[in-house]
Amino acid sequence: AILVGLQIALTLAVVANAVFIIMQRVEKIGRPPGIDSDNLIFVQSYGFGPNYDHRQTIDNDLHLLRSLPGVVSVSPISQIPMSGGGSSTNLGPEQKREKVTINTNHFSVDEHGVEALGVKLGEARNFTQAEIQYNADPANWDFVPFVILNKDAAIATFGTEHAVGKTAYDYSHSAVVIGVMENMLGSWVGWDKLTQVMLTPRIEAGPLARYVVRAEPGRRDALIAEIEQKLSNSNPHRAITYVKSHTEIKERSYRSDSRMVAFLSVLIGLMVSVTALGIVGLASFHVNVRRKQIGTRRAVGARRIDIIRYFMVENWLLTTGGVI
């Protein structure tokens, strides 16, 4: 009885902690990404050879992708949200090293980036075509005059002050905030600054090119095969590395969390089953060793329910003691 009580105590301890961890992981996986994740396709190509023209390739790809039926919007993009790979920088409201401490994910897009990602622009305006910088050095955003922050990045940088129109500093560099987005998650799903994001208006130097394609609802999977075929045939001087849905990319990033949920769920099931078998086994043992006692009680008038209640109360005391 003591061993079964200890087993119940151990099972409860493990189950309680496992359920807590599962709830944390499920909440993490279920966070709203802030973009139209279910309808997004990400494309990556890599140019090679002396005849590869990065600027011309991007212009041709954008024209081709935007002409496909079922495509809502397309934009070049430097990194993929929630993919595990990306770029970040420190921002601050003043050009002082001690003030530039706000970690922020940044993504380079063109004037269609906000619509292509499906984010909601809460304040001010989007980028214009004239503001897009081509072949900008990805290690330097001094040439980018304007940026768009999401709400969390704006609050972290400027506090409760109105962010639009203010200047954000990256040590020696600066940019004016022209817009504030609603929620958007960055690149690293395990990062505590995942919710702080910045968009910059530029198309980075090649030969690597990435695009975000927003499809009409229900057209995503059909477009994936069509995009890969048409882009592959359109330019012999580059290779299409992949064409993937954002759902697939997210699932890969959350794979360790999903496996942890599955593992702990199986562990809970096994421990509860083994503990239940122990309780049943002990109850059966008690019944077998008390047959004479049961017979005597029945002989002096005890009902069947009285016998069952006796063993049920005994089991209840045992399990309650283990839980306590």
Side-chain angles (χ1 to χ4, degrees):
I2 293 174
L3 289 176
V4 172
L6 291 173
Q7 183 181 7
I8 292 169
L10 176 63
T11 299
L12 178 62
V14 173
V15 168
N17 283 279
V19 168
F20 177 74
I21 295 172
I22 288 173
M23 290 175 64
Q24 281 188 320
R25 298 303 173 98
V26 169
E27 183 180 356
K28 177 182 176 182
I29 295 171
R31 291 175 297 187
I35 58 180
D36 190 12
S37 181
D38 292 338
N39 298 307
L40 293 187
I41 303 168
F42 286 90
V43 183
Q44 178 174 294
S45 76
Y46 193 87
F48 58 87
N51 296 322
Y52 175 74
D53 186 328
H54 188 65
R55 173 72 178 272
Q56 187 63 44
T57 298
I58 288 179
D59 290 342
N60 292 341
D61 288 346
L62 292 176
H63 177 74
L64 188 154
L65 291 170
R66 287 167 182 162
S67 67
L68 295 177
V71 171
V72 175
S73 186
V74 183
S75 171
I77 191 167
S78 57
Q79 307 292 344
I80 300 176
M82 306 174 72
S83 66
S87 301
S88 66
T89 189
N90 286 344
L91 294 181
E94 301 177 30
Q95 196 172 1
K96 297 179 181 178
R97 181 169 291 273
E98 62 272 14
K99 295 284 186 179
V100 182
T101 58
I102 310 304
N103 294 122
T104 308
N105 256 174
H106 59 85
F107 300 87
S108 298
V109 296
D110 69 2
E111 69 276 15
H112 298 277
V114 170
E115 182 185 15
L117 288 169
V119 296
K120 296 180 180 179
L121 194 61
E123 298 181 46
R125 66 176 181 87
N126 191 8
F127 301 126
T128 64
Q129 186 176 11
E131 293 167 348
I132 308 302
Q133 306 293 316
Y134 281 86
N135 296 333
D137 181 358
N140 183 355
W141 60 287
D142 191 32
F143 299 102
V144 179
F146 307 109
V147 295
I148 295 175
L149 302 178
N150 72 342
K151 274 188 176 180
D152 284 0
I155 292 172
T157 306
F158 300 106
T160 57
E161 298 179 16
H162 195 62
V164 176
K166 292 188 178 296
T167 301
Y169 294 91
D170 177 14
Y171 299 117
S172 59
H173 306 145
S174 65
V176 177
V177 180
I178 63 168
V180 176
M181 304 178 290
E182 299 293 331
N183 170 54
M184 177 181 172
L185 299 185
S187 295
W188 304 285
V189 296
W191 194 33
D192 61 346
K193 302 298 187 298
L194 179 70
T195 60
Q196 295 173 190
V197 175
M198 173 176 66
L199 300 182
T200 59
R202 67 183 180 194
I203 299 175
E204 296 179 351
L208 184 69
R210 291 191 184 96
Y211 308 102
V212 52
V213 181
R214 186 180 178 192
E216 295 176 355
R219 299 292 302 275
R220 184 195 68 187
D221 294 340
L223 278 170
I224 288 176
E226 185 178 1
I227 287 171
E228 186 166 9
Q229 179 185 9
K230 293 202 171 184
L231 286 182
S232 298
N233 297 333
S234 67
N235 189 340
H237 303 294
R238 59 92 181 274
I240 302 300
T241 311
Y242 59 75
V243 181
K244 294 181 179 178
S245 68
H246 192 241
T247 301
E248 180 183 352
I249 293 169
K250 277 198 310 179
E251 287 176 352
R252 183 181 61 190
S253 296
Y254 284 125
R255 190 169 294 163
S256 60
D257 298 296
S258 300
R259 288 175 176 172
M260 179 63 73
V261 169
F263 169 75
L264 291 177
S265 299
V266 172
L267 178 65
I268 288 173
L270 289 174
M271 291 204 68
V272 170
S273 299
V274 170
T275 303
L277 287 174
I279 295 170
V280 171
L282 183 61
S284 299
F285 172 75
H286 284 163
V287 170
N288 287 327
V289 298
R290 294 174 183 171
R291 287 186 178 275
K292 289 184 179 181
Q293 176 188 341
I294 294 170
T296 303
R297 289 193 62 193
R298 290 285 280 170
V300 297
R303 298 169 300 170
R304 178 184 178 87
I305 188 64
D306 295 324
I307 304 300
I308 294 175
R309 185 186 298 116
Y310 174 85
F311 287 100
M312 293 297 291
V313 169
E314 189 175 69
N315 270 349
W316 177 80
L317 291 172
L318 175 65
T319 54
T320 302
V323 168
I324 292 173

